[in-house]
Amino acid sequence: MTESLDSLLAALARLLSESRVAVGFTGAGISTESGVPDFRTPGSPWMQNKPIPYEAFLASAEVRREAWRRKFAMDDLYRGARPGVGHRFLATMVSSGRMPAVITQNIDGLHQQSGLSPEEVIELHGNGTYATCLSCGTRHELDGIRSLFETEGSPPPCRHCGGILKSATVSFGQAMPSDAMRRAQDLTLSCDLFLVLGSSLVVYPAAALPSLAKRNGASLVIVNREPTKLDAEADLVIRGEIGSILDAISLKWQYN
Ligand code: NAD
């Protein structure tokens, strides 16, 4: 017999109340309610504008032009996205002192928009709201790149060193950011509750963190619309929409 949603929510409220150090771990599913599409829901516009692997990006100027065309096409789709219930829930957890930081696979900057400081968001896959030079690391804003791309048909080189500019995301085949990975692992090992919101948990090494938390003695909770790879390991799985689940939890459970 499947447990009722009410008893699952009561179990989540209990775990939240008992927790001393909780960690939020988010994937693209937390941002769909803000209008940012995820990868794996059928019909995703990411499939028409697939991210280009790092090696191909480095290999050819033509591929780089195509990568920027796809990037700007996707940006246009979710321009103006604002944090949703899930982002706000986690921001409240952090501000109440129950959660040191959020670990995210997302590149949309919505956790920062919800009020978290850069130190309170550990970005495993970088950030798509700005670009960096692959040679000298200088940050470049997208508006300037875009206006040159539109007038000249190509992205500009770095204004400091002439290097290649790339969206500050971590592409397939690109090295993971070592500082973010180390912080994420440390936090995972320090928590007693690991709360996964909106991830299919198929992208590694990020998807290894929930199992690491569980093996280290934390309770593992997965909230997702559909089954994930790690449901069998979890202490609690709540299947449904993040917004309605967390709205319901906020009614049942007081943060303080
Ligand atoms: P994913 O697309 O593989 O999985 C998202 C999961 O969230 C799916 O299982 C889906 O069923 C579920 N979901 C979607 N909307 C939901 C909702 N409202 N409530 C509950 N569940 C919901 O995403 P992933 O696991 O994050 O991995 C994909 C990779 O794509 C990540 O590396 C990420 O960097 C990148 N990505 C990021 C964004 C973003 O920044 N918003 C968007 C698309 C892809």
Side-chain angles (χ1 to χ4, degrees):
M1 194 181 74
T2 53
E3 277 181 89
S4 73
L5 180 59
D6 217 43
S7 65
L8 294 171
L9 291 173
L12 177 54
R14 199 164 47 247
L15 286 170
L16 286 165
S17 303
E18 288 166 3
S19 164
R20 283 179 300 106
V21 181
V23 167
F25 176 90
T26 63
I30 198 171
S31 295
T32 56
E33 291 165 357
S34 299
V36 185
D38 66 7
F39 261 166
R40 286 174 182 80
T41 296
S44 170
W46 289 100
M47 293 304 114
Q48 277 93 56
N49 292 292
K50 277 192 183 153
I52 289 177
Y54 191 53
E55 210 172 304
F57 183 89
L58 290 183
S60 130
E62 194 185 333
V63 172
R64 288 195 285 280
R65 278 194 291 278
E66 176 59 14
W68 279 105
R69 188 198 64 72
R70 293 183 192 184
K71 155 102 187 115
F72 293 137
M74 287 307 295
D75 284 358
D76 285 347
L77 274 186
Y78 59 82
R79 184 178 304 289
R82 293 285 170 268
V85 172
H87 302 101
R88 293 196 298 272
F89 176 87
L90 292 175
T92 309
M93 288 287 291
V94 172
S95 65
S96 70
R98 291 171 168 272
M99 184 175 280
V102 172
I103 303 170
T104 189
Q105 301 173 86
N106 292 346
I107 56 163
D108 54 30
L110 288 175
H111 287 301
Q112 289 88 335
Q113 268 196 53
S114 74
L116 297 186
S117 69
E119 295 69 40
E120 290 165 339
V121 186
I122 301 174
E123 292 178 319
L124 297 179
H125 296 159
N127 188 311
T129 65
Y130 59 93
T132 47
C133 171
L134 293 179
S135 300
C136 71
T138 298
R139 174 175 169 145
H140 290 249
E141 301 312 317
L142 296 179
D143 285 350
I145 298 174
R146 185 161 187 168
S147 58
L148 283 164
F149 183 79
E150 281 169 359
T151 50
E152 294 175 14
S154 293
C158 174
R159 62 179 175 274
H160 294 296
C161 74
I164 293 172
L165 300 188
K166 180 182 170 294
S167 159
T169 53
V170 178
S171 299
F172 294 105
Q174 192 171 3
M176 293 292 284
S178 51
D179 189 51
M181 273 308 286
R182 187 189 43 73
R183 284 191 64 212
Q185 276 159 354
D186 288 351
L187 193 58
T188 298
L189 291 172
S190 75
C191 74
D192 56 22
L193 176 63
F194 197 91
L195 177 61
V196 178
L197 298 174
S199 176
S200 58
L201 298 174
V202 296
V203 179
Y204 282 82
L209 293 171
S211 303
L212 179 63
K214 175 74 188 157
R215 282 200 308 278
N216 195 50
S219 300
L220 175 59
V221 176
I222 297 177
V223 178
N224 206 60
R225 189 189 269 168
E226 58 180 17
T228 79
K229 287 272 191 197
L230 299 184
D231 286 358
E233 285 183 36
D235 297 274
L236 180 64
V237 175
I238 308 184
R239 196 100 19 97
E241 298 300 305
I242 290 167
S244 54
I245 289 166
L246 294 182
D247 267 342
I249 267 295
S250 303
L251 293 177
K252 274 186 183 294
W253 175 69
Q254 302 302 314
Y255 298 93
N256 299 304

PDB file of all heavy atoms in Angstrom, residues 20 24 27-28 40 56 75-76 85 92 107 110 125-126 141-142 147 152-153 167 171 175 184 200 207 249-250 255:
ATOM      1  N   ARG A  20      19.804  19.068  12.703  1.00  0.00           N
ATOM      2  CA  ARG A  20      20.612  20.194  13.191  1.00  0.00           C
ATOM      3  C   ARG A  20      21.356  20.855  12.037  1.00  0.00           C
ATOM      4  O   ARG A  20      21.515  22.061  12.002  1.00  0.00           O
ATOM      5  CB  ARG A  20      21.608  19.709  14.262  1.00  0.00           C
ATOM      6  CG  ARG A  20      20.942  19.465  15.623  1.00  0.00           C
ATOM      7  CD  ARG A  20      21.923  18.964  16.654  1.00  0.00           C
ATOM      8  NE  ARG A  20      22.527  17.694  16.228  1.00  0.00           N
ATOM      9  CZ  ARG A  20      23.772  17.571  15.787  1.00  0.00           C
ATOM     10  NH1 ARG A  20      24.566  18.616  15.732  1.00  0.00           N
ATOM     11  NH2 ARG A  20      24.246  16.399  15.410  1.00  0.00           N
ATOM     12  N   GLY A  24      20.514  21.380   1.267  1.00  0.00           N
ATOM     13  CA  GLY A  24      19.642  21.304   0.099  1.00  0.00           C
ATOM     14  C   GLY A  24      20.493  21.014  -1.119  1.00  0.00           C
ATOM     15  O   GLY A  24      21.576  21.591  -1.280  1.00  0.00           O
ATOM     16  N   GLY A  27      18.388  20.392  -8.484  1.00  0.00           N
ATOM     17  CA  GLY A  27      18.591  20.179  -9.911  1.00  0.00           C
ATOM     18  C   GLY A  27      17.596  21.021 -10.687  1.00  0.00           C
ATOM     19  O   GLY A  27      16.821  21.812 -10.109  1.00  0.00           O
ATOM     20  N   ALA A  28      17.586  20.816 -11.978  1.00  0.00           N
ATOM     21  CA  ALA A  28      16.790  21.660 -12.873  1.00  0.00           C
ATOM     22  C   ALA A  28      15.310  21.679 -12.495  1.00  0.00           C
ATOM     23  O   ALA A  28      14.605  22.650 -12.776  1.00  0.00           O
ATOM     24  CB  ALA A  28      16.965  21.168 -14.309  1.00  0.00           C
ATOM     25  N   ARG A  40      15.279  16.729 -18.869  1.00  0.00           N
ATOM     26  CA  ARG A  40      14.785  15.389 -19.171  1.00  0.00           C
ATOM     27  C   ARG A  40      13.280  15.259 -19.309  1.00  0.00           C
ATOM     28  O   ARG A  40      12.785  14.212 -19.708  1.00  0.00           O
ATOM     29  CB  ARG A  40      15.349  14.386 -18.156  1.00  0.00           C
ATOM     30  CG  ARG A  40      16.810  14.145 -18.484  1.00  0.00           C
ATOM     31  CD  ARG A  40      17.565  13.289 -17.521  1.00  0.00           C
ATOM     32  NE  ARG A  40      18.958  13.206 -17.978  1.00  0.00           N
ATOM     33  CZ  ARG A  40      19.879  14.149 -17.777  1.00  0.00           C
ATOM     34  NH1 ARG A  40      19.588  15.213 -17.081  1.00  0.00           N
ATOM     35  NH2 ARG A  40      21.098  14.019 -18.251  1.00  0.00           N
ATOM     36  N   ALA A  56      34.521  20.001 -28.296  1.00  0.00           N
ATOM     37  CA  ALA A  56      34.041  20.534 -29.576  1.00  0.00           C
ATOM     38  C   ALA A  56      34.064  22.059 -29.550  1.00  0.00           C
ATOM     39  O   ALA A  56      34.410  22.714 -30.543  1.00  0.00           O
ATOM     40  CB  ALA A  56      32.630  20.030 -29.848  1.00  0.00           C
ATOM     41  N   ASP A  75      18.499  31.643 -23.291  1.00  0.00           N
ATOM     42  CA  ASP A  75      18.336  32.795 -22.378  1.00  0.00           C
ATOM     43  C   ASP A  75      17.029  33.528 -22.687  1.00  0.00           C
ATOM     44  O   ASP A  75      16.321  33.954 -21.771  1.00  0.00           O
ATOM     45  CB  ASP A  75      19.501  33.782 -22.519  1.00  0.00           C
ATOM     46  CG  ASP A  75      20.770  33.287 -21.830  1.00  0.00           C
ATOM     47  OD1 ASP A  75      20.741  32.206 -21.226  1.00  0.00           O
ATOM     48  OD2 ASP A  75      21.791  33.994 -21.913  1.00  0.00           O
ATOM     49  N   ASP A  76      16.723  33.671 -23.982  1.00  0.00           N
ATOM     50  CA  ASP A  76      15.490  34.388 -24.361  1.00  0.00           C
ATOM     51  C   ASP A  76      14.250  33.664 -23.845  1.00  0.00           C
ATOM     52  O   ASP A  76      13.244  34.302 -23.540  1.00  0.00           O
ATOM     53  CB  ASP A  76      15.398  34.527 -25.889  1.00  0.00           C
ATOM     54  CG  ASP A  76      16.365  35.586 -26.393  1.00  0.00           C
ATOM     55  OD1 ASP A  76      16.896  36.349 -25.556  1.00  0.00           O
ATOM     56  OD2 ASP A  76      16.594  35.636 -27.618  1.00  0.00           O
ATOM     57  N   VAL A  85       8.782  28.681  -5.245  1.00  0.00           N
ATOM     58  CA  VAL A  85       8.555  28.218  -3.861  1.00  0.00           C
ATOM     59  C   VAL A  85       9.788  27.467  -3.331  1.00  0.00           C
ATOM     60  O   VAL A  85      10.209  27.663  -2.191  1.00  0.00           O
ATOM     61  CB  VAL A  85       7.306  27.298  -3.808  1.00  0.00           C
ATOM     62  CG1 VAL A  85       7.167  26.642  -2.446  1.00  0.00           C
ATOM     63  CG2 VAL A  85       6.065  28.085  -4.168  1.00  0.00           C
ATOM     64  N   THR A  92      14.882  30.399   3.150  1.00  0.00           N
ATOM     65  CA  THR A  92      14.430  30.538   4.538  1.00  0.00           C
ATOM     66  C   THR A  92      15.163  29.560   5.446  1.00  0.00           C
ATOM     67  O   THR A  92      15.527  29.895   6.577  1.00  0.00           O
ATOM     68  CB  THR A  92      12.904  30.311   4.629  1.00  0.00           C
ATOM     69  OG1 THR A  92      12.284  31.132   3.671  1.00  0.00           O
ATOM     70  CG2 THR A  92      12.363  30.636   6.009  1.00  0.00           C
ATOM     71  N   ILE A 107      22.403  26.352 -13.197  1.00  0.00           N
ATOM     72  CA  ILE A 107      23.276  27.404 -13.733  1.00  0.00           C
ATOM     73  C   ILE A 107      22.489  28.705 -13.892  1.00  0.00           C
ATOM     74  O   ILE A 107      22.951  29.634 -14.527  1.00  0.00           O
ATOM     75  CB  ILE A 107      23.816  26.955 -15.108  1.00  0.00           C
ATOM     76  CG1 ILE A 107      22.638  26.607 -16.051  1.00  0.00           C
ATOM     77  CG2 ILE A 107      24.752  25.761 -14.967  1.00  0.00           C
ATOM     78  CD1 ILE A 107      23.016  26.556 -17.503  1.00  0.00           C
ATOM     79  N   LEU A 110      19.135  31.400  -9.792  1.00  0.00           N
ATOM     80  CA  LEU A 110      17.897  31.706  -9.054  1.00  0.00           C
ATOM     81  C   LEU A 110      18.060  31.569  -7.534  1.00  0.00           C
ATOM     82  O   LEU A 110      17.349  32.234  -6.778  1.00  0.00           O
ATOM     83  CB  LEU A 110      16.732  30.844  -9.567  1.00  0.00           C
ATOM     84  CG  LEU A 110      16.219  31.226 -10.960  1.00  0.00           C
ATOM     85  CD1 LEU A 110      15.145  30.249 -11.435  1.00  0.00           C
ATOM     86  CD2 LEU A 110      15.665  32.652 -10.987  1.00  0.00           C
ATOM     87  N   HIS A 125      28.006  23.141 -11.364  1.00  0.00           N
ATOM     88  CA  HIS A 125      28.107  23.196 -12.834  1.00  0.00           C
ATOM     89  C   HIS A 125      28.247  24.622 -13.341  1.00  0.00           C
ATOM     90  O   HIS A 125      27.908  24.916 -14.483  1.00  0.00           O
ATOM     91  CB  HIS A 125      26.904  22.494 -13.465  1.00  0.00           C
ATOM     92  CG  HIS A 125      26.851  21.032 -13.148  1.00  0.00           C
ATOM     93  ND1 HIS A 125      25.704  20.265 -13.230  1.00  0.00           N
ATOM     94  CD2 HIS A 125      27.826  20.174 -12.732  1.00  0.00           C
ATOM     95  CE1 HIS A 125      25.979  19.019 -12.877  1.00  0.00           C
ATOM     96  NE2 HIS A 125      27.246  18.938 -12.564  1.00  0.00           N
ATOM     97  N   GLY A 126      28.709  25.505 -12.458  1.00  0.00           N
ATOM     98  CA  GLY A 126      28.971  26.874 -12.885  1.00  0.00           C
ATOM     99  C   GLY A 126      27.718  27.723 -12.937  1.00  0.00           C
ATOM    100  O   GLY A 126      26.697  27.411 -12.316  1.00  0.00           O
ATOM    101  N   GLU A 141      30.383  40.285 -18.857  1.00  0.00           N
ATOM    102  CA  GLU A 141      28.919  40.265 -18.795  1.00  0.00           C
ATOM    103  C   GLU A 141      28.357  39.885 -20.165  1.00  0.00           C
ATOM    104  O   GLU A 141      28.972  40.133 -21.205  1.00  0.00           O
ATOM    105  CB  GLU A 141      28.385  41.616 -18.317  1.00  0.00           C
ATOM    106  CG  GLU A 141      28.905  42.040 -16.939  1.00  0.00           C
ATOM    107  CD  GLU A 141      28.824  40.951 -15.866  1.00  0.00           C
ATOM    108  OE1 GLU A 141      27.795  40.246 -15.787  1.00  0.00           O
ATOM    109  OE2 GLU A 141      29.794  40.775 -15.101  1.00  0.00           O
ATOM    110  N   LEU A 142      27.174  39.257 -20.123  1.00  0.00           N
ATOM    111  CA  LEU A 142      26.614  38.705 -21.367  1.00  0.00           C
ATOM    112  C   LEU A 142      26.128  39.784 -22.329  1.00  0.00           C
ATOM    113  O   LEU A 142      26.190  39.599 -23.544  1.00  0.00           O
ATOM    114  CB  LEU A 142      25.453  37.758 -21.043  1.00  0.00           C
ATOM    115  CG  LEU A 142      25.829  36.502 -20.258  1.00  0.00           C
ATOM    116  CD1 LEU A 142      24.589  35.670 -19.974  1.00  0.00           C
ATOM    117  CD2 LEU A 142      26.864  35.661 -21.004  1.00  0.00           C
ATOM    118  N   SER A 147      25.734  41.924 -27.801  1.00  0.00           N
ATOM    119  CA  SER A 147      25.570  42.977 -28.815  1.00  0.00           C
ATOM    120  C   SER A 147      26.640  42.834 -29.892  1.00  0.00           C
ATOM    121  O   SER A 147      26.358  43.014 -31.072  1.00  0.00           O
ATOM    122  CB  SER A 147      25.499  44.372 -28.199  1.00  0.00           C
ATOM    123  OG  SER A 147      26.640  44.603 -27.460  1.00  0.00           O
ATOM    124  N   GLU A 152      28.365  41.452 -35.273  1.00  0.00           N
ATOM    125  CA  GLU A 152      29.510  40.908 -36.032  1.00  0.00           C
ATOM    126  C   GLU A 152      29.378  39.426 -36.353  1.00  0.00           C
ATOM    127  O   GLU A 152      30.201  38.874 -37.083  1.00  0.00           O
ATOM    128  CB  GLU A 152      30.804  41.165 -35.258  1.00  0.00           C
ATOM    129  CG  GLU A 152      31.079  42.662 -35.184  1.00  0.00           C
ATOM    130  CD  GLU A 152      32.280  43.032 -34.339  1.00  0.00           C
ATOM    131  OE1 GLU A 152      33.077  42.135 -34.016  1.00  0.00           O
ATOM    132  OE2 GLU A 152      32.386  44.213 -34.004  1.00  0.00           O
ATOM    133  N   GLY A 153      28.400  38.772 -35.769  1.00  0.00           N
ATOM    134  CA  GLY A 153      28.191  37.348 -36.077  1.00  0.00           C
ATOM    135  C   GLY A 153      29.106  36.413 -35.312  1.00  0.00           C
ATOM    136  O   GLY A 153      29.046  35.188 -35.487  1.00  0.00           O
ATOM    137  N   SER A 167      30.470  30.918 -21.760  1.00  0.00           N
ATOM    138  CA  SER A 167      29.527  30.989 -20.646  1.00  0.00           C
ATOM    139  C   SER A 167      30.176  30.296 -19.440  1.00  0.00           C
ATOM    140  O   SER A 167      30.828  29.262 -19.604  1.00  0.00           O
ATOM    141  CB  SER A 167      28.256  30.259 -21.088  1.00  0.00           C
ATOM    142  OG  SER A 167      27.511  29.879 -19.980  1.00  0.00           O
ATOM    143  N   SER A 171      30.804  22.637 -18.954  1.00  0.00           N
ATOM    144  CA  SER A 171      30.266  21.841 -20.068  1.00  0.00           C
ATOM    145  C   SER A 171      30.620  20.373 -19.881  1.00  0.00           C
ATOM    146  O   SER A 171      31.560  20.036 -19.147  1.00  0.00           O
ATOM    147  CB  SER A 171      30.864  22.320 -21.394  1.00  0.00           C
ATOM    148  OG  SER A 171      30.517  23.655 -21.608  1.00  0.00           O
ATOM    149  N   ALA A 175      36.510  20.162 -16.802  1.00  0.00           N
ATOM    150  CA  ALA A 175      36.818  19.770 -15.412  1.00  0.00           C
ATOM    151  C   ALA A 175      35.802  20.382 -14.452  1.00  0.00           C
ATOM    152  O   ALA A 175      35.365  21.522 -14.638  1.00  0.00           O
ATOM    153  CB  ALA A 175      38.221  20.256 -15.058  1.00  0.00           C
ATOM    154  N   ALA A 184      31.340  21.107  -1.441  1.00  0.00           N
ATOM    155  CA  ALA A 184      30.121  20.293  -1.473  1.00  0.00           C
ATOM    156  C   ALA A 184      30.341  18.980  -0.709  1.00  0.00           C
ATOM    157  O   ALA A 184      29.471  18.541   0.055  1.00  0.00           O
ATOM    158  CB  ALA A 184      29.723  20.011  -2.923  1.00  0.00           C
ATOM    159  N   SER A 200      17.089  14.443 -11.509  1.00  0.00           N
ATOM    160  CA  SER A 200      16.954  13.050 -11.947  1.00  0.00           C
ATOM    161  C   SER A 200      18.095  12.198 -11.399  1.00  0.00           C
ATOM    162  O   SER A 200      18.059  10.979 -11.479  1.00  0.00           O
ATOM    163  CB  SER A 200      16.935  12.981 -13.477  1.00  0.00           C
ATOM    164  OG  SER A 200      18.117  13.559 -13.998  1.00  0.00           O
ATOM    165  N   ALA A 207      25.761  13.535  -8.674  1.00  0.00           N
ATOM    166  CA  ALA A 207      24.777  12.570  -8.169  1.00  0.00           C
ATOM    167  C   ALA A 207      25.361  11.587  -7.159  1.00  0.00           C
ATOM    168  O   ALA A 207      24.624  10.802  -6.554  1.00  0.00           O
ATOM    169  CB  ALA A 207      24.144  11.818  -9.337  1.00  0.00           C
ATOM    170  N   ILE A 249       4.342  21.805   3.302  1.00  0.00           N
ATOM    171  CA  ILE A 249       5.250  21.637   4.445  1.00  0.00           C
ATOM    172  C   ILE A 249       5.343  22.924   5.255  1.00  0.00           C
ATOM    173  O   ILE A 249       5.387  22.905   6.486  1.00  0.00           O
ATOM    174  CB  ILE A 249       6.654  21.212   3.934  1.00  0.00           C
ATOM    175  CG1 ILE A 249       6.761  19.705   3.930  1.00  0.00           C
ATOM    176  CG2 ILE A 249       7.792  21.801   4.745  1.00  0.00           C
ATOM    177  CD1 ILE A 249       6.698  19.055   5.277  1.00  0.00           C
ATOM    178  N   SER A 250       5.351  24.053   4.553  1.00  0.00           N
ATOM    179  CA  SER A 250       5.476  25.323   5.279  1.00  0.00           C
ATOM    180  C   SER A 250       4.267  25.557   6.180  1.00  0.00           C
ATOM    181  O   SER A 250       4.368  26.240   7.200  1.00  0.00           O
ATOM    182  CB  SER A 250       5.627  26.487   4.303  1.00  0.00           C
ATOM    183  OG  SER A 250       6.740  26.250   3.479  1.00  0.00           O
ATOM    184  N   TYR A 255       9.783  26.977  11.028  1.00  0.00           N
ATOM    185  CA  TYR A 255      11.240  26.915  10.898  1.00  0.00           C
ATOM    186  C   TYR A 255      11.958  27.046  12.241  1.00  0.00           C
ATOM    187  O   TYR A 255      13.069  26.605  12.403  1.00  0.00           O
ATOM    188  CB  TYR A 255      11.746  28.033   9.978  1.00  0.00           C
ATOM    189  CG  TYR A 255      11.216  27.929   8.572  1.00  0.00           C
ATOM    190  CD1 TYR A 255      10.069  28.605   8.190  1.00  0.00           C
ATOM    191  CD2 TYR A 255      11.871  27.143   7.635  1.00  0.00           C
ATOM    192  CE1 TYR A 255       9.586  28.504   6.911  1.00  0.00           C
ATOM    193  CE2 TYR A 255      11.390  27.041   6.344  1.00  0.00           C
ATOM    194  CZ  TYR A 255      10.249  27.724   5.992  1.00  0.00           C
ATOM    195  OH  TYR A 255       9.762  27.622   4.719  1.00  0.00           O
TER     196      TYR A 255
END
